[in-house]
Amino acid sequence: MRLLVVEDNKDLAAWLGKALRQAQYAIDIAHDGEDAEHMLKVAEYAAMILDLALPKLDGLTLLKRLRQSGNKLPVIILTANASLDGRVAGLDSGADDYLAKPFEIAELEARIRAVVRRGQDRASSEITVGNLRFSGGTRQFFVAGEPLQLTPREYAVLEQLVMKLGNTISKAALSESVFGFDDEADPSAIEIYIHRLRKKLESSSVQIATLRGLGYLLRHVQ
């Protein structure tokens, strides 16, 4: 999943980016509201982590504009203002959750999982295809009950295929979900990850099919 972190404190933003990448998210970072607004127009995100005290365009204004445009992207506000009035203002402006600084990264990750689940069409926190099972609560894959060992990129590709189950996903859409703006992605990277995933799924009852000219589709094999 691809997340947008909007934080003007560059040290905190870098720490958040590193921690969330280790949690298998693709991360883009904006240090002011105007850059964030531009990114939201050109990329698709699973959620946004938003500071309120931003230069150029403050967080509440950015959030209000986002909701006025009809965008329902899950948003978690991060701010040092933990007052009741501050929380109310953020939630009334369209935020899905609110976390005061300082915070533990584990709590932020849990809140991200929660708002993403609520925002997805697939309300179930568990998805099963053949003997492949995806637990949305823990963000883990299992084959025949055994944990499936995946690299972060392999995980990101398979997660997208599972979340879009029944639909074909183009290579470009997969790449956009897996890589952030700052990642150096080889044009053939998605093909490499698909090849590796097929190897790891050989013992399962699912396969990743290639639909020429369209993309990839995860399906159950009888």
Side-chain angles (χ1 to χ4, degrees), residues 53-126:
L54 298 171
K56 298 185 180 179
L57 181 68
D58 68 87
L60 281 183
T61 300
L62 173 63
L63 180 55
K64 289 176 182 177
R65 289 184 183 181
L66 183 74
R67 296 305 186 224
Q68 288 168 357
S69 71
N71 193 322
K72 298 180 180 180
L73 174 72
V75 176
I76 299 174
I77 287 178
L78 292 184
T79 182
N81 180 7
S83 69
L84 175 60
D85 288 344
R87 295 198 301 272
V88 170
L91 294 171
D92 282 348
S93 297
D96 297 272
D97 204 349
Y98 200 103
L99 190 58
K101 301 174 184 175
F103 57 88
E104 295 293 334
I105 191 65
E107 182 179 3
L108 176 59
E109 290 177 19
R111 289 173 182 263
I112 291 170
R113 292 193 296 269
V115 298
V116 169
R117 281 200 305 272
R118 291 199 296 267
Q120 287 166 343
D121 291 335
R122 296 181 181 276
S124 172
S125 61
E126 188 170 292

Side-chain angles (χ1 to χ4, degrees), residues 139-206:
R139 298 185 72 223
Q140 288 185 304
F141 285 97
F142 301 87
V143 171
E146 295 296 321
L148 184 61
Q149 302 301 318
L150 302 169
T151 67
R153 297 298 191 198
E154 292 166 357
Y155 174 93
V157 171
L158 186 57
E159 182 181 46
Q160 286 301 304
L161 290 168
V162 166
M163 298 311 300
K164 301 292 185 180
L165 188 63
N167 298 297
T168 304
I169 309 180
S170 70
K171 187 189 300 184
L174 275 176
S175 182
E176 183 174 302
S177 297
V178 172
F179 298 107
F181 285 120
D182 294 333
D183 293 325
E184 296 182 5
D186 186 281
S188 63
I190 294 299
E191 295 175 11
I192 294 171
Y193 296 132
I194 290 290
H195 174 74
R196 292 176 181 173
L197 283 170
R198 284 172 172 157
K199 289 286 188 181
K200 293 186 176 183
L201 292 171
E202 283 180 344
S203 63
S204 75
S205 61
V206 300

Side-chain angles (χ1 to χ4, degrees), residues 17-34:
K18 181 179 180 180
L20 292 172
R21 288 186 184 99
Q22 290 175 344
Q24 302 180 330
Y25 292 103
I27 303 297
D28 287 329
I29 295 175
H31 296 300
D32 64 68
E34 288 185 356

